[in-house]
Amino acid sequence: MSATTSAQAGSTAAADPAGTAPAEADRRLTSKERRRVIIASLVGTTIEFYDFYIYATAAVAVLPALFFLDGDDTSKLLASMATFGAAFIARPLGSIVFGHFGDRIGRKATLIGALLTMGIATFLIGLLPTAHQIGLWAPAMLTILRFTQGLGLGGEWSGASLLATEYAEEGRRGRAAMWPQLGAPFGFILANGFFLVLTVLFAFDSTSAVLDHSFLVWGWRVPFLASLAMVLLGLWVRVKLEETPVFQQAVDEDKKVKSPVTEVFRTAWLPLIQGTFIMLATYVVFYLMTAWVLSYGIAKPEAGGLGISYTTFLIQQLLSVLLFAAFIPVSGWAADRFGRRRSLSVTTALIVVFGLLFTPLMDPAKVGVGEDVAMWRVLLFLSLGMMLMGLSFGSMSALLPELFATNVRYTGSGIAYNVASILGAAITPFIAVWLNARWGVGAVGAYLSLAGVITFVALRLSPETRDRDMREI
């Protein structure tokens, strides 16, 4: 046992001289209980990410034409990307609000509140009138609801991660923590698969669509409205949960803090900074591979894009996202086997190299445009990006919670994760559109490489957390 682990174990024993408190936290789950925890963490994040991604897809293919009337195609896309980014501005606030309740009243009730916040906002987006009907009120209400989506997701991820890690067996937290992470690719597949089916059924072609097309009139609303059924499913699963044993021990020992936000900034300001920049490159690569690349792929060649039809490009994305899902378990295994810092350092170095490949793989002069696009290059590019995303994202739900003590863990991991979302996700699609319009796709790759270098430095300056005691107060 390491000195750090021994010290933590000693402090735990001191807090509980009788030696009885850790017994509940160390109790092995039955197979039925473990399945319930896995399903609750996976289903909840899948629904949350589904809600988030249907907006990301609509922000590229639908919303510019329906909610923004002024300017050329690039200006409308930039305006739509700005509303997309509004959710990331809200996410740190959501992590503070839901983190407070998660560390004060418990993980279970807070997760239910986060799910409802996200789900109701998504459903209401499907009911919004467009700018052609009510003018500027439409983008204003759209931005408010997008902001509310961000509040919900700001509280969702950290709670689901704690659900997985605080129930996990010693030495297997990386693998246990992969379950909420799988919600990201699963939600992506559900959201974009839904849009793909609808575009086929409606015979919608983004390169030649007109405003009175039935998909633009009402078809795009269906995925938003359908989210209500998924939210009800998520609620049913989470209501059946018990509180995590690690948090219950803190409650039993009266170790909760009155103000988790104040406490985390007072005692854990350094882990907040470390966690934020450790997560940076993961966010940048993911939102380049989902939101930006879709806008780049389907944009007209004269606007700096490849001119691929929406349906064709979406199929490529759905194929590549399977690698995202496949490499998340690999990331969890590697984090347990080699340590969080070592495995993520290797992945981050590969992300830096990947950024240098944007020009040879995706520059219009090399890959072609319209019907002449070399689709194998596009698929290779998407597959490499999604593979790296899986390797990077898979162990984050173990590493970030491990940086913080039990009574501030929900708040601390949530703030780090969601402040990184502003730096790495909120502005990434917007900056990427601007960089490509001004200097070409190679500049977008350089932006990713820079984010990778920053994350690599943060990892090397951070501690290894694989052997941390999750009962630490």
Side-chain angles (χ1 to χ4, degrees):
M1 180 181 293
S2 67
T4 301
T5 306
S6 299
Q8 292 166 344
S11 65
T12 303
D16 180 40
T20 57
E24 175 62 20
D26 289 340
R27 180 180 68 82
R28 288 182 177 272
L29 299 177
T30 65
S31 297
K32 182 178 180 180
E33 289 172 328
R34 190 166 300 282
R35 283 195 302 270
R36 184 178 296 166
V37 171
I38 289 172
I39 292 172
S41 61
L42 175 60
V43 169
T45 53
T46 298
I47 294 169
E48 296 279 1
F49 280 106
Y50 165 85
D51 287 358
F52 215 66
Y53 295 150
I54 56 176
Y55 189 98
T57 301
V60 172
V62 175
L63 302 184
L66 298 181
F67 286 84
F68 304 97
L69 305 181
D70 298 327
D72 55 19
D73 289 346
T74 300
S75 299
K76 291 179 180 179
L77 180 59
L78 285 171
S80 182
M81 288 298 186
T83 66
F84 178 75
F88 295 98
I89 305 300
R91 283 170 64 164
L93 179 58
S95 67
I96 291 172
V97 173
F98 289 104
H100 173 84
F101 291 108
D103 286 327
R104 286 289 298 160
I105 67 174
R107 314 325 193 191
K108 173 183 173 179
T110 306
L111 277 169
I112 291 174
L115 183 66
L116 282 172
T117 301
M118 183 80 174
I120 292 172
T122 304
F123 178 78
L124 292 177
I125 288 174
L127 298 177
L128 280 180
T130 69
H132 299 279
Q133 297 168 310
I134 61 171
L136 292 177
W137 283 105
M141 290 190 293
L142 179 67
T143 303
I144 292 171
L145 290 176
R146 178 62 176 167
F147 188 87
T148 306
Q149 277 190 316
L151 288 176
L153 192 57
E156 164 62 30
W157 179 86
S158 50
S161 296
L162 266 56
L163 190 65
T165 55
E166 291 185 346
Y167 269 113
E169 297 177 21
E170 195 69 27
R172 297 182 62 89
R173 283 200 300 266
R175 278 163 282 192
M178 78 173 184
W179 293 108
Q181 304 303 78
L182 282 170
F186 289 177
F188 183 91
I189 291 170
L190 281 174
N192 287 282
F194 203 159
F195 266 107
L196 176 61
V197 170
L198 288 173
T199 56
V200 171
L201 291 176
F202 282 84
F204 176 72
D205 184 354
S206 60
T207 62
S208 60
V210 292
L211 288 176
D212 61 353
H213 192 287
S214 56
F215 181 77
L216 291 178
V217 173
W218 66 272
W220 69 273
R221 301 178 183 274
V222 176
F224 290 91
L225 300 177
S227 69
L228 185 62
M230 300 181 66
V231 169
L232 294 175
L233 171 63
L235 288 175
W236 178 74
V237 171
R238 286 186 170 177
V239 164
K240 293 178 174 291
L241 282 178
E242 299 293 335
E243 189 54 80
T244 71
V246 171
F247 181 79
Q248 190 60 52
Q249 178 183 323
V251 173
D252 294 341
E253 296 179 1
D254 196 25
K255 294 293 181 64
K256 295 187 298 180
V257 294
K258 292 183 178 180
S259 178
V261 177
T262 302
E263 188 71 13
V264 78
F265 278 104
R266 186 180 70 83
T267 64
W269 58 269
L270 182 58
L272 281 175
I273 296 172
Q274 291 169 336
T276 296
F277 287 105
I278 285 172
M279 190 68 203
L280 177 67
T282 305
Y283 265 125
V284 173
V285 71
F286 185 56
Y287 283 92
L288 287 179
M289 291 298 103
T290 52
W292 170 76
V293 79
L294 177 61
S295 68
Y296 175 73
I298 69 174
K300 299 174 182 177
E302 55 268 28
L306 299 181
I308 303 172
S309 74
Y310 173 76
T311 301
T312 300
F313 197 87
L314 199 53
I315 291 173
Q316 302 290 308
Q317 275 195 305
L318 287 170
L319 289 173
S320 65
V321 83
L322 296 176
L323 286 173
F324 178 17
F327 276 87
I328 283 177
V330 175
S331 177
W333 171 84
D336 282 341
R337 175 68 178 82
F338 303 107
R340 286 45 162 155
R341 189 170 69 162
R342 183 185 301 179
S343 60
L344 283 170
S345 293
V346 172
T347 299
T348 304
L350 292 174
I351 288 174
V352 174
V353 174
F354 176 62
L356 305 177
L357 300 178
F358 275 47
T359 296
L361 287 179
M362 291 293 278
D363 190 282
K366 298 182 181 298
V367 74
V369 296
E371 296 181 355
D372 297 325
V373 170
M375 294 305 299
W376 69 269
R377 282 179 181 260
V378 176
L379 183 59
L380 176 61
F381 174 82
L382 293 173
S383 297
L384 289 173
M386 288 296 187
M387 179 184 71
L388 290 171
M389 179 60 196
L391 289 172
S392 180
F393 190 60
S395 57
M396 286 295 176
S397 59
L399 188 156
L400 294 186
E402 288 168 351
L403 288 172
F404 301 93
T406 300
N407 50 354
V408 295
R409 184 171 293 134
Y410 202 127
T411 303
S413 61
I415 290 175
Y417 180 83
N418 290 297
V419 170
S421 77
I422 294 179
L423 302 176
I427 60 176
T428 286
F430 187 92
I431 288 179
V433 169
W434 180 77
L435 286 173
N436 179 61
R438 192 170 180 85
W439 289 294
V441 71
V444 181
Y447 175 66
L448 173 60
S449 294
L450 175 61
V453 170
I454 294 172
T455 289
F456 186 86
V457 172
L459 282 165
R460 303 316 300 170
L461 295 177
S462 299
E464 175 55 60
T465 61
R466 176 175 55 181
D467 299 321
R468 285 279 173 87
D469 185 350
M470 295 297 280
R471 295 186 300 266
E472 179 187 356
I473 302 297

